[in-house]
Amino acid sequence: MLRLHPGRLAGALILALLTASAPALAGKTLDAIKAKGQIACGVSTGVIGFSAADSQGQWKGLDVDVCKAIAAAVLGDPNKVRWVPLSSQQRFTAIQSGEVDILSRNTTWSLTRDAALGLHFAGVSYYDGQGFLIPKKLKVTSAKQLKNAEVCVQSGTTTEKNLADYARAQGIKLKPVVFDKFEASIKAFFSGRCQAYTTDASALAFIRSKEAPVPDDYLVLPEIISKEPLGPAVRRGDDEWFAIVKWTLNALIEAEELGITQARVDSLKAAPDPAVQRFLGVGEDLGKSLGLDREWAARAVKAVGNYGEIFNRNVGADSPLKLPRGLNAQWNKGGILYAQPLR
Amino acid sequence: MRLAHLRRTLFGDALNTTLSLLILAAAVLALPPLLDWAVLKARFAPDVVACEALEHAGACWGVVAEKARFILLGRYPADEAWRPLLAAGLITGSWLAAAYGGLRGRALPLALLLAPLLALPLLAGGFAGLGSVPTELWGGLPLTLLLTGAGMAGALPIGIAVAYGRRSSLPLLRGLLTAYVELARGIPLVAALFIASFLLPLFFPQGVAVDMLWRVLIAIVLFAAAYLSEIIRGGLQAFPAGQIDAASALGFSPWQTQRWIVLPQVLRNVAPSLANSAIALFKDTSLVTIVSLYELTGALGLALSGDAQWRPFYLEAWLFIAAIYWLGCALLARISRRFGQA
């Protein structure tokens, strides 16, 4: 008679898989990436404008372009990226376990996430904030009037926590109605399950105009109840890789400030401005101290454009979202975008 | 005859007549708007401008046409699309053959077992000129079918073994197997998947990544095996002892008795319950999206949730995959009916 012990079988299988899989990574993330010829980039399962796959399966969005820029800077090719779509619950395990090299997945930078989850946030690629969408028939003009309202919200996000904080701070009772999936939460809101819907402001205007049965019946409340600085994160324990991600992001922002666009990268190499020359690797070699070559920043901008171009293409004027630059304008243009100088 | 029967059951007495009329009225009220939405006013071409002009007064089936490859095959490389298609075809083919074709007797379980085993290398590649495709890119319908097919194929032998083991006279073996079954049945599948995907990697050294698909498949197999073993154990317990005595009187060894007399009858008797489990597993595979495997529902999410133009037509795409699930479940139910008769 068969006497197969399933527990032992599972143990043996796991052992077999363990021994069969690749040996542990040798040394630094950068070396491993160069050896593999690919950066593993954790993205979302579909957030309009930030990371989403189109009908052909090509990934597009602001978060996606950050990864592409890093791939261009490090490997010389923006397409050498392995895209790993991650749910909001799974994203942190994926970066901690080394499944992805970089998490570029509209993730809010906060103390606990930075300190307790073993992450390093490399900077801010988009300053967002949380707002409310309500039906006009509710006759409410401010979030403070949302007393005892049921609010549809997505789980596993900072959004859920902010809502509770806001309700407590304002002394109003808000009842969160939590959904696992984004689609489920907005469908529930528009079918009348909740009196209000809350998520990052970057998404609200679009949800109102595209998903509402009648957009004019809905209103985005003026309050922004939280700070949501979104940015790429890497695993702790590899300062060199952290520096590369941080400075590539800085380079994209600095490029806009310096007026270096995707189209003009090559022609600007002859420009007299020393800052531009340094950026493009004509003068001083900035790449060396990062472990890269001198044209890393030029390649990044040539691949995806500067921050302004990335913004306009994915979430700004040239995109369906049509978001204003707002906080995400350069520091000298009324925003708070301020790249640490590349010199 | 038939008409008379219908009239008797539908309009036999006052209560039946009222109920029939009510249902008829509901159908008359609901059908025209449904037909209007789904067919008459619907757009079938993948033309987003035309679809938006409808303002949801009619269905936009174009979303299915536009996103078909992504929904059905997930992120599998586009120029290799024939491989997941063939893999899905193999498994569906084995189901169809089992449900309607000439497959009977021993060939039937064998075909159901072999199809997912053939689909695996076809999807994975890395031999005979087929490019190797990492499992994280597998998705859509082939993944749903594979998880169901391979899950059942792996769980059934283990389930049979556990069922016999729990009837063994060795207390230690019996105790261990009982503990396993109770543990597996005591946690939800979601928890099993979470353990397989989140907890296990943290125990591995950094950089060592055991493929997610295998981890999930093992979790599904062990989970389903616990349920199947109980179904089979029930079948074994209900088996008339007289037949076993008769077999031994005829000179059958205990092994031969089980192999040729007990097990074939038991499996046939519990076929409806096995099909129940298969159908449940088929639908439960949708849970693997939470661990970033993008089977049908997951691929649908990937295809639509980030697409500004097409996301408003989620409902139509959902109905499309709902139809696929319904067909799959109907097929599995039919297989069990035939297996039970075989």
Side-chain angles (χ1 to χ4, degrees), chain B residues 10-80:
Chain B
L10 294 179
F11 301 100
D13 53 40
L15 179 70
N16 279 349
T17 309
T18 325
L19 284 177
S20 300
L21 286 177
L22 275 177
I23 292 169
L24 202 67
V28 166
L29 281 178
L31 270 182
L34 194 67
L35 199 70
D36 197 37
W37 178 81
V39 183
L40 297 178
K41 286 203 182 125
R43 299 257 179 228
F44 296 89
D47 177 354
V48 81
V49 181
C51 278
E52 276 173 350
L54 284 173
E55 291 184 328
H56 295 284
C60 170
W61 300 112
V63 66
V64 176
E66 169 76 17
K67 299 282 181 183
R69 190 177 64 78
F70 212 129
I71 295 173
L72 288 176
L73 306 182
R75 302 199 296 138
Y76 208 89
D79 39 355
E80 302 269 5

Side-chain angles (χ1 to χ4, degrees), chain B:
Chain B
M1 177 68 200
R2 209 137 213 195
L3 206 68
H5 175 74
L6 269 179
R7 203 163 64 201
R8 201 171 58 245
T9 47
L10 294 179
F11 301 100
D13 53 40
L15 179 70
N16 279 349
T17 309
T18 325
L19 284 177
S20 300
L21 286 177
L22 275 177
I23 292 169
L24 202 67
V28 166
L29 281 178
L31 270 182
L34 194 67
L35 199 70
D36 197 37
W37 178 81
V39 183
L40 297 178
K41 286 203 182 125
R43 299 257 179 228
F44 296 89
D47 177 354
V48 81
V49 181
C51 278
E52 276 173 350
L54 284 173
E55 291 184 328
H56 295 284
C60 170
W61 300 112
V63 66
V64 176
E66 169 76 17
K67 299 282 181 183
R69 190 177 64 78
F70 212 129
I71 295 173
L72 288 176
L73 306 182
R75 302 199 296 138
Y76 208 89
D79 39 355
E80 302 269 5
W82 65 272
R83 285 162 58 184
L85 279 175
L86 187 57
L90 267 174
I91 300 177
T92 322
S94 76
W95 291 11
L96 276 170
Y100 295 101
L103 280 183
R104 285 200 174 248
R106 224 186 305 174
L108 190 147
L110 207 66
L112 293 177
L113 202 82
L114 270 179
L117 291 182
L118 286 175
L120 264 174
L122 185 63
L123 287 170
F127 64 91
L130 288 182
S132 152
V133 177
T135 56
E136 60 174 30
L137 294 182
W138 304 7
L141 185 61
L143 185 61
T144 298
L145 293 171
L146 184 73
L147 289 172
T148 314
M152 281 306 277
L156 194 60
I158 298 178
I160 293 173
V162 172
Y164 273 109
R166 285 193 68 184
R167 289 161 60 86
S168 134
S169 52
L170 301 170
L172 183 67
L173 179 71
R174 219 170 43 223
L176 281 175
L177 290 179
T178 309
Y180 151 67
V181 170
E182 292 308 327
L183 185 74
R185 291 197 306 173
I187 57 170
L189 180 55
V190 180
L193 294 176
F194 265 97
I195 293 169
S197 71
F198 294 116
L199 232 48
L200 283 182
L202 297 179
F203 297 140
F204 299 152
Q206 207 176 57
V208 177
V210 178
D211 207 291
M212 176 76 83
L213 182 71
W214 301 123
R215 278 186 266 148
V216 161
L217 199 53
I218 290 170
I220 287 180
V221 164
L222 290 179
F223 187 82
Y227 285 86
L228 296 192
S229 80
E230 283 298 275
I231 293 173
I232 293 159
R233 199 169 65 95
L236 288 174
Q237 269 169 352
F239 193 79
Q243 285 200 31
I244 297 173
D245 294 340
S248 85
L250 285 170
F252 278 71
S253 73
W255 169 251
Q256 283 173 323
T257 311
Q258 296 299 334
R259 170 70 187 81
W260 296 109
I261 300 192
V262 180
L263 207 50
Q265 296 190 60
V266 164
L267 286 182
R268 204 164 298 156
N269 289 340
V270 299
S273 302
L274 292 179
N276 237 352
S277 281
I279 290 172
L281 181 63
F282 181 55
K283 291 183 286 189
D284 279 352
T285 54
S286 58
L287 292 172
V288 303
T289 45
I290 58 155
V291 296
S292 295
L293 285 176
Y294 298 97
E295 46 59 71
L296 261 183
T297 62
L300 174 69
L302 272 188
L304 285 186
S305 62
D307 190 315
Q309 289 183 304
W310 290 103
R311 194 174 71 187
F313 309 104
Y314 225 97
L315 179 65
E316 288 86 336
W318 263 115
L319 289 174
F320 171 65
I321 66 164
I324 296 180
Y325 274 105
W326 183 80
L327 282 174
C329 293
L331 262 183
L332 289 171
R334 174 144 182 113
I335 293 173
S336 99
R337 275 206 299 281
R338 281 201 57 184
F339 187 60
Q341 297 162 356

